[in-house]
Amino acid sequence: MSKLGIKIGKRLFHVQIDALGSLDSQISVQIEGEDVPVILPKQSEDGDKLDWIIINNRPYEINLDADLLTIGLHNRVYPIEIRDLAVSLTRPRIADGRVKAPIPGLIRQLYVYQGMSVEVGQSLLVLEAMKMENEILAPKTGCIRSVNVITGQNVNLNDILVEIE
Amino acid sequence: MKKILIANRGEIAVRIIRSIRDLGLKSVSIYDQNDWQSLHVKLSDECYVIRSEMDRATDVEIIELAKRVKADAIHPGYGFLAEQADFAETCADAGIIFIGPSPEILSLLQDRFTVLELVKRAGIPTPKFLKKLFFVNQIDEIVEACVEMEYPLIFQARYHQPGRSIWFIENQAQAIEMLERLQQKQPNLELFLEEKISPVHLMRVIILRMQNKDSIVFNEIDSSIQFRNRRLIEESPSPIITPKQRNEISQITHEVTRCLNFSGLGTLDFLVDTAGNVFFSKIKPYLPASHVLTEIATGLDLVAFQIMHSAEMGPGIRQDDIQAKEHSLLCRISAVDPYKNFLPSPGVIRKFRLPAGPFVRCDTHISDGYQLPEKYDPILAKISVLSYDRASLLSRMRRVLSETSISGITTDLPVLLNILDQPEFTKSLYHTDFLTQRFEGHLEAIHEIPSEDEYKNFAIATAAAYYYQRNFFRPTMPERLKSTWHQESRKP
């Protein structure tokens, strides 16, 4: 037995899912104390993502984003919050001031220098990838502790570009 | 003509290969080592890897390959290579047919400034532009000229180039900053100044002009739905164009091609201001990516016409034969993440299921397991639908986008669906700035609210997906160990 608090928009629901049912494709679910029939595909050994589900005789193709901030249902997105009491799940939207390369690419333009103060959402640099010029924005307000790249440099995924303190 | 080499990749190459095969001809594709899983490689009759030192295959490499594999013709795709007069000329020298207009026409069309001057002199309305060319390093002269032109305005590159050729400038500070940037990147850039008409609608018109000067002009395509220089949604006919304006656009299209002595398949760009005035903007010697709209509305294969035109065969139809009463709509799905400021999201596409059903066409180069290269643009598919009126057209596109299923990477499908619901879009009150006003700085604008009876189901779906992600449902014993065959084989 496991309990979750799920917030969709402004509404909060308590959902309880029974793990015993997981050997079958039908699982036992309770929401706000009410039993709901749910069918989902068996999870494979490599632990794939859930693609679709049948809830109360309604099919949904779904896509939970990796940061657990939205759920896509038939390609429309809804903001969510998940509270799992078994795991303390307080995910801040910004971890720290380290700005990593979200994709591999080429540094086209640098707008900041060490010691400069930046506002949240301010453009730090331009990273070119997939034939697009992508502005990388400051995740928080602060002072630039270091700039680890130069214009014209190729960067790999997750390379630290700029640090803000 | 028996065998055609396609000097392009991805969805464009797939589109061209299909016409080549429909005509009963052989196709030759090229690919680079990052891109061998693309559908254009799988669908061609022959495929060759080009291991180029350069970012793209060079002209010489392409022509050498065409000679070696005994291709009679080269299709340059639609884009940069398709307007290179030098390339067309080198093909001709090598005895290979270049599928497109003649090198003389290309060389004229490449020069956007001269085209604009010729067209204006013929009395055709164009946006105001300064009849003076500048090198990018003449910053003082340009800034002075900008004051004369008045902001906001547009820097137009004289010659179309890969990447960007047009820059919107709002004020003097921006002008100076942009010129300094451009100077570093492209020190030889030549540019001219054009007024920025805003708000504006962008229209495209395809024309097929035969050697005997007969021509066919197709209905306009409205390309006004743009975001950060990417066209997301296009439709034809345009909901804002009146029959009188349509007639005017068609007249101008005939006049421009006559004045430039154009022959072949081309695309004209028009701007329409809020007062309904029509201005000629550009002519390009190739098909727009949105030619699909014209094809589904008319039932004609325009790429086949282009190939036949280069083989000096007429299309066998006339303007009067063309009937396009139906409405068509196209959405481009891209691998970009709306939640991360529309950053591209490369990666492996785990599952890729395109929509189907009545009056749907999908153009893509992707299939399950495709590794999306970081090097190329993030387009995944073009989805087009056809219907008898605009309301049912939008309804059909909503259905089609919601049944598309792509996993493994993030796409902009939620954004497309959201646009289709906006009153500005449904009531056709949109122009080129509409999406910028809606989304720039308001990415939460794509959030939806469940209907009352679906809240609980959505909460359950979220819970199940969350547990799945935490491997809550993962079998404790691998499936294969449960099989008796497997157990039998393990017995000593």
Side-chain angles (χ1 to χ4, degrees), chain B residues 125 155 356 456:
Chain B
F155 289 166
K456 282 186 179 173

XYZ file of all heavy atoms in Angstrom, chain B residues 125 155 356 456:
32
model
N 3.905 46.845 -56.287
C 4.108 47.346 -54.919
C 5.069 46.462 -54.112
O 4.938 45.240 -54.102
C 2.703 47.328 -54.309
C 1.896 46.423 -55.175
C 2.510 46.439 -56.539
N 17.046 44.643 -41.484
C 18.282 44.438 -42.245
C 18.071 43.209 -43.118
O 17.785 42.131 -42.609
C 19.477 44.145 -41.315
C 19.945 45.319 -40.503
C 20.813 45.118 -39.430
C 19.562 46.620 -40.810
C 21.265 46.189 -38.667
C 20.012 47.699 -40.054
C 20.861 47.475 -38.977
N -3.493 9.004 -38.349
C -3.984 8.487 -39.624
C -5.458 8.855 -39.726
O -5.933 9.702 -38.989
C -3.758 6.989 -39.685
N -10.334 13.612 -11.284
C -9.921 12.427 -10.532
C -9.133 11.462 -11.410
O -8.120 10.905 -10.984
C -11.145 11.724 -9.940
C -11.669 12.417 -8.714
C -12.795 11.624 -8.074
C -13.264 12.352 -6.818
N -14.471 11.699 -6.262
